[in-house]
């Protein structure tokens, strides 16, 4: 799909809003406790809370290369990284995907 169209912007705004809501909700997930109530997923949440607004600002100021780079990094670290954490042994999704 072409970038910069109205459809791209609308979907981008929705994606930003959803990512911020999801990142905030992750702070209440405390099944994996490595340092007190915190786990690596909390670091991913902080990464998302910092990088998503930055990526949106890059798009707003027409810094296309910086916007593209930030969005690719978000995809890799936030979505793929969080996906890996959901499949760790002992988690619900591990049992769903791989069985008991």
């Amino acid at each position: 799909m072409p970038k910069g169209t109205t459809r791209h912007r609308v979907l981008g705004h929705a994606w930003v809003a959803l990512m911020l809501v999801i990142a905030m909700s992750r702070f209440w997930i405390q099944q994996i406790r490595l340092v007190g109530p915190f786990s690596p997923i909390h670091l991913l949440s902080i990464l998302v809370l910092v990088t998503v607004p930055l990526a949106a600002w890059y798009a707003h100021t027409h810094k296309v290369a910086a916007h593209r780079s930030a969005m690719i990094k978000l995809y890799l670290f936030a979505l793929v990284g969080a996906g890996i954490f959901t499949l760790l042994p002992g988690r619900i999704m591990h049992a769903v995907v791989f069985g008991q």
Side-chain angles (χ1 to χ4, degrees):
M1 287 181 36
K3 308 298 183 233
T5 62
T6 301
R7 184 177 180 181
H8 180 87
R9 284 190 211 113
V10 169
L11 290 173
H13 285 115
W15 189 84
V16 164
L18 291 171
M19 284 298 289
L20 292 175
V21 168
I22 291 168
M24 290 299 296
S25 71
R26 287 185 202 161
F27 287 103
W28 282 270
I29 298 173
Q30 298 181 354
Q31 290 175 333
I32 303 171
R33 296 173 183 236
L34 295 179
V35 179
F38 303 107
S39 70
I41 199 158
H42 295 105
L43 292 175
L44 286 174
S45 297
I46 293 167
L47 174 78
V48 169
L49 291 173
V50 170
T51 310
V52 166
L54 186 62
W57 181 74
Y58 286 148
H60 181 72
T61 57
H62 304 286
K63 296 178 180 175
V64 177
H67 172 69
R68 181 182 301 116
S69 175
M71 296 307 282
I72 290 170
K73 289 174 187 169
L74 271 170
Y75 180 79
L76 291 175
F77 291 114
L79 296 178
V80 174
I84 291 169
F85 286 119
T86 62
L87 295 174
L88 288 175
R91 304 289 310 261
I92 293 170
M93 286 308 296
H94 182 272
V96 170
V97 174
F98 301 111
Q100 298 292 339

